[in-house]
């Protein structure tokens, strides 16, 4: 007469609790079938005798037995197992007491009625379980009761109530009840995949064994009291209450041990390097620790949004079913920063809810830490990726950068057959600095981005486009192909240079297309240096270097496209070495020297001034003319020092001929770029002072330049120079782009008509007209007009006829070293009166 129940009380999602769970349906059918057989065979075949003097009628006994079974179920204790809850009840006690009230064959019926009634009541009051679950539970217990009745009947056959055999029968029945109900519950839970069968059995036995012993003892004692001293039954309720408390305490202690073990395991699994992994571990860990129905993690995104992750227990759909149960939400924070929220839908609590709340808080803290670590790690990985990307990518345009072009370019070049041609176009934007200066750097960036896109659009497959300097782009062409007319196929021509030059021109044209930036319509012009070479002859760096020389050549000549010429390369290969040597040369006095060329009165030939031209007596390379080193100086930071040096030497030379009695000004050539130096006027004034030279004895010759003429600073410097009292001269007048504009912006004392016009004026009416125009303009501006490069008497006569008064050229005097200038001036001066030329050209020969 000893029974016990062990039931799976995992809640079900639908009314019958069976949707999509075929194995559970099978288990349900099997159990119900077994219960039905038990009911029929028990009731019809083996009702058996009621032991002892049954105090009640059979039907009365049946009712009381069912009530006892129901009471045993209602006083159940629950504990979490896997992701469900398991109930343990007073089933064994109910079985033993029931055995004393009805024949053993009726026990299944009493159990079915009592269990079904109790679970319907539980379901109605709190659990809201499905009909199928209730039927399944009642059927399981019925099968257990039938088995127990059969075993106790067999063991205790022929015994009288209360004798040893009867007692043995009761104990054996109670054990059979436990084994059968436990077996069925294990099967059901295992089918739910809530936990492994071994785990379920282990935990259930641990909870159940002490209860079985207590149940059997209390039931036997109860029977004994009922039969012998019914009054003592009054002492039972407190005893039962105490026993229930003890069981409960045992379960709670066990549950706490389990929770912390699961907690330790779950938090150990939390750390991860990817947020998604941590979230997955966090969800499944929380499900295990809390035996939850659902766990939800809501994370705050850096941009302000939220991302929600959740996991439901198998067969659960909390959102859909809205199953009740305690819900605990905790905000997860790390060092005061909110990471997100953790919400746990608990199944029936076995621990007091406050302890669950504490556990959820602690779990949330561990999870927040792990998420924070993962996020930091992810950011670190992203940062590393960005650093790696920045290593190869230009941040502004997304093009390759210089080092990537060198690396990728070399790889691409190595893949090309040695005899094929490869090429490189180097693009430099003209006057890009002005865009930055006038429209601001943001607009400058926008212009660069547009141009980068235009270059990319024109690049062919396999070509590498890079930004290798502020306003410098390169297109590396691992194949230099052109459309052949015959088959419209791309093919390499025997000499591919002209095609590449054509492409470079296209490129420059595309770049120069007007664009609108900061509401300003502008167009940026570009110079392109082009090199084409056999693939085997050099690496990407060499191609860039050669294209750089070609680009410089284009800029020097004011061309759009320049090509690489190996002959020019010899002079400029070691430009950098030359710069270093120039630094040393400026420290001594015998390397950068002056060649002095007098300017003369065209009619008398008397000297009117002297121009200082520089030469570099290079210890190894021999004498270098200004054209060979001045362009390099102009692009280096040595320009300031060089200009000071030349000015100082020129003023010293002027002092030397002044001492010899020639009160003549010295003309010094100033690079246009020096006009960007706001300290130039002060430096000039200082040098004049130190050389004791009156300011009007210095003429500064400036070749106006497109690059600087528009800038405000140039106006300021020119005005400053004027204020010092020095004379200003426009050199090479007529060759620049904006000679006339230049004259409107600054008041000049002298125009030097370029040699090319003087050279051509005899044969070319246009050249002659240019000289005439310059002379007239000079007259109107009150400026002296000097003709440069006069080489013949014929030119001299022609110039005099045009009204030009001063000239310079080999016809009068070559540029001379400074120790010869005084002698030359003296000769010119002495010869002057005799050299008045006739005014008719035909007499000049
Ligand atoms: P420039 O100022 O126009 O100087 C005149 C150039 O013509 C000089 O060349 C001179 O030697 C040359 N020349 C003079 N008379 C004749 C002639 O009858 N026929 C021919 N064919 N040439 C003649 P150089 O010395 O080679 O200087 C070239 C240019 O270099 C100069 O042109 C000047 O612009 C620049 N330069 C020279 N020295 C300096 C300097 O110290 N600083 C700067 N910034 N530029 C300089
Ligand atoms: Mg000059
Ligand atoms: Mg000149």
């Amino acid at each position: 007469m000893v029974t016990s129940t062990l039931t799976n009380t995992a809640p079900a999602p639908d009314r019958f609790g069976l949707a999509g769970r075929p194995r559970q349906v099978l288990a349900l059918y099997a159990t119900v079938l077994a219960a039905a057989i038990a009911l029929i065979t028990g009731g019809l075949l083996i009702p058996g005798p009621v032991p002892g003097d049954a105090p009640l009628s059979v039907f009365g006994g049946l009712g009381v037995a069912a009530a006892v079974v129901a009471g045993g179920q209602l006083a159940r204790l629950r504990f979490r197992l896997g992701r469900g809850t398991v109930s343990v009840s007073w089933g064994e006690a109910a079985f033993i007491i029931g055995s004393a009230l009805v024949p053993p064959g009726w026990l299944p019926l009493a159990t079915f009625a009592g269990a079904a009634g109790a679970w319907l009541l539980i379901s109605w009051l709190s659990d809201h379980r499905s009909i199928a679950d209730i039927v399944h539970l009642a059927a399981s217990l019925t099968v257990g009761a039938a088995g127990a009745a059969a075993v106790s009947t067999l063991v205790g056959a022929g015994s009288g109530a209360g004798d040893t055999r009867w007692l043995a029968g009761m104990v054996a029945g109670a054990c059979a009840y436990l084994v059968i109900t436990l077996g069925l519950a294990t099967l059901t839970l295992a089918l739910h995949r809530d936990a492994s069968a071994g785990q379920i059995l282990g935990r259930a036995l641990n909870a159940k064994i002490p209860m079985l012993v207590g149940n059997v003892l209390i039931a036997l004692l109860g029977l004994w009291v009922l039969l012998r001293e019914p009054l003592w039954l009054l002492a039972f309720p407190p005893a039962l209450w105490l026993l229930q408390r003890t069981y409960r305490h045992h379960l709670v202690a066990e549950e706490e041990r389990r929770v912390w073990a699961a907690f330790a395991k779950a938090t150990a699994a939390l750390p991860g390097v990817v947020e998604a992994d941590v979230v997955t571990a966090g969800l499944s860990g929380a499900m295990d620790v809390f035996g939850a129905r659902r766990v939800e993690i809501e994370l705050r995104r850096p941009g302000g949004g939220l991302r929600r992750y959740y996991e439901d227990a198998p067969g659960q759909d909390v959102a859909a079913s809205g199953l009740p149960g305690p819900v605990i939400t905790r905000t997860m924070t790390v060092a005061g920063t909110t990471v997100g929220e953790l919400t746990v839908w608990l199944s029936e609590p076995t621990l007091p809810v406050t302890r669950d709340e504490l556990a959820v808080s602690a779990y949330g803290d561990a999870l927040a830490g792990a998420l924070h670590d993962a996020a930091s790690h992810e950011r670190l990985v992203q940062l590393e990726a960005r650093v790696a990307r920045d290593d190869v990518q230009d941040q502004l345009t997304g093009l390759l950068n210089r080092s990537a072009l060198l690396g990728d370019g070399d790889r691409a070049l190595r893949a090309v057959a040695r005899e094929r041609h490869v090429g490189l176009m180097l693009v430099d934007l003209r006057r890009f600095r002005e865009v930055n200066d006038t429209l601001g750097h943001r607009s400058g960036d926008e212009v660069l981005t547009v141009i980068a896109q235009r270059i990319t659009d024109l690049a062919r497959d396999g070509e590498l486009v890079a930004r290798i300097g502020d306003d410098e782009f390169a297109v590396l062409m691992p194949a230099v192909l052109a459309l052949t007319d015959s088959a419209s196929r791309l093919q390499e021509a025997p000499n591919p240079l002209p095609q590449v030059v054509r492409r470079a021109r296209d490129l420059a044209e595309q770049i120069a297309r007007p664009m609108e930036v900061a509401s300003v319509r502008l167009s940026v012009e570009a110079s392109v240096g082009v090199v084409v070479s056999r693939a085997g002859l050099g690496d990407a760096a060499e191609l860039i270097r050669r294209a750089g020389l070609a680009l410089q050549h284009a800029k020097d000549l004011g061309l759009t496209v320049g090509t690489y010429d190996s002959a020019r390369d010899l002079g400029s290969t070691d430009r950098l070495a030359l710069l270093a040597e120039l630094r040393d040369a400026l420290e001594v006095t015998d390397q950068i020297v002056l060649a002095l060329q007098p300017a003369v009165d065209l009619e008398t030939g008397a000297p009117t001034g002297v121009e200082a031209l520089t030469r570099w007596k290079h210890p190894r390379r021999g004498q270098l003319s200004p054209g060979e080193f001045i362009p390099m100086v102009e692009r280096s930071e040595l320009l300031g020092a060089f200009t000071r040096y030349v000015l100082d030497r020129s003023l010293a030379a002027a002092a030397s001929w002044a001492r010899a009695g020639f009160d003549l000004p010295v003309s010094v050539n100033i690079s246009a770029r020096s006009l960007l130096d706001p300290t130039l006027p002060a430096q000039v004034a200082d040098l004049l002072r130190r050389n004791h030279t009156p300011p009007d004895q210095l003429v500064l010759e400036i070749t106006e330049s497109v690059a600087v003429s528009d800038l405000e600073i140039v106006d300021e410097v020119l005005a400053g120079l004027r204020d010092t009292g020095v004379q200003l001269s426009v050199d090479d007048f007529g060759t620049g782009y904006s000679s006339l504009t230049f004259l409107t912006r600054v008041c000049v004392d002298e125009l030097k008509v370029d040699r090319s016009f003087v050279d051509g004026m005899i044969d070319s009416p246009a050249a002659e007209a240019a000289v005439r125009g310059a002379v007239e303009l000079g007259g109107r501006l009150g400026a002296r007009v000097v003709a440069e490069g006069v080489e013949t008497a014929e030119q001299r006569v022609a110039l005099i006829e045009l009204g030009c008064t001063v000239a310079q050229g080999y016809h009068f005097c070559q540029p001379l070293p400074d120790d010869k200038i005084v002698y030359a001036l003296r000769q010119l001066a002495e010869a002057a009166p005799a050299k008045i030329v006739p005014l008719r050209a035909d007499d000049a020969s």
Side-chain angles (χ1 to χ4, degrees):
M1 291 226 312
V2 186
T3 61
S4 160
T5 65
L6 184 118
T7 54
N8 165 37
T9 62
D14 58 327
R15 194 166 159 65
F16 290 96
L18 297 167
R21 295 156 75 190
R23 285 187 296 184
Q24 276 88 330
V25 176
L26 208 66
L28 171 66
Y29 283 151
T31 320
V32 171
L33 189 67
I37 293 169
L39 288 172
I40 295 163
T41 52
L44 296 181
L45 305 177
I46 47 160
V50 179
D53 309 322
L56 301 165
S57 69
V58 170
F59 288 107
L62 201 61
V64 175
V68 169
V69 170
Q73 293 300 316
L74 288 172
R76 79 203 197 285
L77 289 169
R78 287 162 298 170
F79 64 93
R80 286 178 191 150
L81 204 148
R83 290 170 189 178
T85 315
V86 170
S87 296
V88 283
S89 64
W90 293 77
E92 295 84 357
F95 164 74
I96 293 175
I97 293 172
S99 299
L101 299 173
V102 291
W106 293 100
L107 273 176
L109 184 61
T111 305
F112 185 80
W119 283 103
L120 276 171
L121 191 65
I122 291 170
S123 176
W124 179 60
L125 288 177
S126 64
D127 246 4
H128 304 280
R129 57 190 56 244
S130 68
I131 307 259
D133 260 354
I134 295 173
V135 171
H136 192 184
L137 274 168
S140 302
L141 300 182
T142 306
V143 173
V151 169
S152 67
T153 310
L154 277 177
V155 175
S159 60
D163 66 20
T164 320
R165 245 183 110 184
W166 180 85
L167 276 176
M170 285 300 110
V171 173
C175 290
Y177 181 89
L178 173 68
V179 170
I180 294 168
T181 53
L182 184 66
L184 287 172
T186 305
L187 196 72
T188 312
L189 285 173
L191 285 177
H192 274 272
R193 292 214 187 87
D194 284 351
S196 72
Q199 207 184 355
I200 298 164
L201 267 177
R203 289 218 52 223
L205 281 175
N206 189 14
K208 192 62 210 180
I209 296 289
M211 209 170 169
L212 170 76
V213 176
N215 279 355
V216 171
L217 286 178
I218 201 84
L220 292 175
L221 193 66
L223 273 185
W224 184 79
V225 169
L226 184 71
L227 296 176
R228 303 278 153 82
E229 304 284 346
L231 254 183
W232 276 94
L233 278 177
L234 290 174
F236 260 66
L240 288 174
W241 180 79
L242 270 178
L243 208 56
Q244 177 82 349
R245 297 290 305 172
T246 313
Y247 291 156
R248 195 179 136 72
H249 184 77
H250 172 71
L251 279 179
V252 166
E254 176 62 17
E255 169 69 359
E256 253 179 87
R257 196 198 57 74
R258 186 201 67 78
V259 163
W260 292 115
F263 191 95
K265 197 171 150 208
T267 49
L270 282 181
V273 290
V274 182
E275 184 189 274
D277 290 351
V278 176
V279 167
T280 310
L283 288 172
S284 108
M287 296 297 284
D288 289 341
V289 174
F290 304 109
R293 303 172 183 203
R294 164 182 277 207
V295 178
E296 203 173 277
I297 296 172
E298 204 169 61
L299 294 184
R300 299 219 171 143
R301 310 312 304 156
L306 291 172
R307 184 175 291 171
R308 209 161 61 93
Y309 302 88
Y310 67 89
E311 185 179 333
D312 287 332
Q316 299 276 323
D317 184 355
V318 174
S321 65
L323 287 169
V327 181
I328 301 175
T329 297
R330 282 289 172 273
T331 303
M332 298 185 286
T333 49
V334 173
T337 311
T338 303
V339 178
E341 274 186 353
L342 169 69
T343 306
V344 180
W345 276 258
L346 295 169
S347 38
E348 302 149 277
T350 47
L351 290 177
V353 174
T354 42
R355 272 195 246 179
D356 273 336
E357 282 175 349
L358 289 176
V360 172
S361 285
Y363 190 80
D365 287 345
L367 185 57
L371 284 167
H372 185 263
D373 287 352
S376 307
H377 187 270
E378 275 181 49
R379 269 198 296 278
L380 209 67
V381 169
Q382 280 168 3
L383 206 69
E384 274 173 7
R386 216 173 91 197
V387 169
R389 207 170 46 241
D390 288 351
D391 271 355
V392 297
Q393 211 178 46
D394 169 50
Q395 280 188 37
L396 175 67
T397 60
L399 297 179
L400 299 177
N401 62 19
R402 177 182 279 271
S403 65
L405 178 68
L406 292 176
D408 293 4
D410 281 346
R411 267 190 294 283
L413 293 178
R414 277 198 293 273
V416 181
R418 296 178 71 82
E419 66 285 358
R420 303 296 295 258
H421 282 94
V422 295
L424 191 132
M425 296 189 279
L426 193 64
V427 180
D428 183 85
L429 307 182
R430 287 190 220 146
R431 301 167 69 182
F432 180 69
R433 234 183 90 167
E434 281 178 46
V435 176
N436 273 340
D437 288 348
T438 49
L439 298 179
H441 283 266
R442 189 171 294 179
S443 301
D445 286 355
E446 218 173 297
V447 169
L448 289 173
T449 315
V450 170
I451 287 172
Q453 190 54 51
R454 290 181 180 176
I455 299 177
T456 310
D457 290 346
L458 280 184
R460 294 179 183 163
D461 283 354
E463 294 182 344
L464 303 179
V465 182
R467 177 170 171 231
I468 62 173
D470 285 348
D471 57 355
E472 248 185 13
F473 297 86
V475 182
L476 181 97
M477 298 168 279
V480 202
L481 306 171
L483 284 180
T484 53
D485 292 339
S486 51
S488 288
R489 275 212 314 264
L490 281 170
Q491 209 172 305
E492 188 176 309
N495 173 21
L497 184 63
Q499 304 158 10
V500 180
V501 170
R502 263 199 300 281
R503 279 195 65 190
R505 279 216 183 88
D506 279 358
L507 193 63
E509 255 171 48
Q510 288 302 314
I511 290 173
R513 260 174 34 223
M515 64 176 94
E516 196 167 303
V517 171
S519 310
V520 175
R521 199 170 153 78
L522 55 88
S523 148
V524 181
E525 292 183 342
S527 307
V528 188
V530 163
V531 60
V532 169
S533 147
R534 295 255 177 223
L537 294 183
D539 55 7
E542 178 59 13
L543 284 180
I544 294 175
R545 191 191 69 78
R546 291 182 179 191
L549 293 178
L551 179 67
Q552 194 48 55
H553 182 61
K555 284 181 174 174
D556 289 345
L557 300 184
L559 302 172
T560 305
V561 177
T563 53
Y564 170 75
D565 177 355
S566 56
R568 280 198 307 271
D569 196 2
L570 295 175
S572 43
T573 36
D574 45 5
R575 188 173 275 173
L576 285 176
L578 205 62
L579 261 185
E581 288 161 357
L582 178 71
R583 207 180 290 273
D584 298 337
L586 292 176
E587 299 290 317
V588 294
T589 52
D590 58 347
Q591 287 203 31
I592 308 290
V593 296
L594 298 182
L596 300 163
Q597 187 181 38
V600 297
D601 182 297
L602 260 173
E603 288 200 26
T604 65
T608 59
V610 179
E611 178 172 5
L613 300 156
T614 45
R615 307 282 178 265
W616 184 354
K617 285 190 173 163
H618 195 282
R620 277 184 302 108
R621 301 168 201 251
Q623 179 161 302
L624 302 178
S625 65
E628 287 172 287
F629 65 93
I630 299 273
M632 173 200 79
V633 175
E634 285 179 339
R635 284 193 299 277
S636 77
E637 81 280 12
L638 285 178
L639 179 63
F642 177 80
T643 308
R644 270 195 306 282
Y645 180 94
V646 174
L647 273 170
D648 198 30
R649 296 290 303 264
S650 305
L651 291 173
S656 78
W657 65 69
R659 277 195 300 277
F662 293 100
D663 199 11
L664 298 174
V666 61
S667 297
V668 179
N669 296 282
I670 296 287
S671 296
R673 264 202 56 205
S674 300
L675 300 179
L676 295 169
D677 178 3
T679 66
L680 184 67
Q683 290 186 38
V684 169
D686 181 52
L687 288 166
L688 286 168
R689 223 177 3 260
R690 281 206 268 142
N691 284 283
H692 310 291
T693 314
D696 62 353
Q697 291 296 79
L698 175 63
V699 183
L700 296 180
E701 291 189 11
I702 299 150
T703 309
E704 37 66 55
S705 140
V706 202
V708 294
S709 59
D710 292 352
L711 297 175
E712 212 168 279
I713 181 76
V714 175
D715 287 337
E716 282 168 26
V717 173
L718 286 171
L721 289 174
R722 277 238 72 96
D723 291 346
T724 60
V726 300
Q727 299 188 52
L728 295 180
S729 164
V730 182
D731 204 352
D732 301 343
F733 184 73
T735 56
Y737 291 97
S738 50
S739 302
L740 294 174
T741 326
F742 191 75
L743 291 179
T744 60
R745 295 171 67 204
V746 60
C747 181
V748 297
D749 302 277
E750 183 183 87
L751 299 182
K752 293 188 87 168
V753 181
D754 191 64
R755 195 171 72 217
S756 57
F757 300 111
V758 175
D759 202 26
M761 65 185 288
I762 303 295
D763 303 320
S764 151
E768 197 220 56
V771 179
R772 190 192 300 275
V775 171
E776 276 174 18
L777 186 65
R780 275 168 210 243
L781 294 173
R784 175 172 76 241
V785 177
V786 182
E788 287 189 308
V790 179
E791 290 182 347
T792 65
E794 204 181 0
Q795 288 167 344
R796 182 183 182 185
V797 171
L799 286 165
I800 291 171
E801 276 180 352
L802 287 178
C804 189
T805 53
V806 187
Q808 213 179 313
Y810 297 164
H811 176 63
F812 305 102
C813 188
Q814 297 262 343
L816 300 166
D818 55 359
D819 56 345
K820 302 230 164 64
I821 187 66
V822 173
Y823 176 75
L825 289 174
R826 193 165 289 136
Q827 279 205 321
L828 283 169
E830 282 168 6
K835 271 209 168 176
I836 295 174
V837 285
L839 286 175
R840 287 207 328 271
D842 38 351
D843 290 340
S845 59

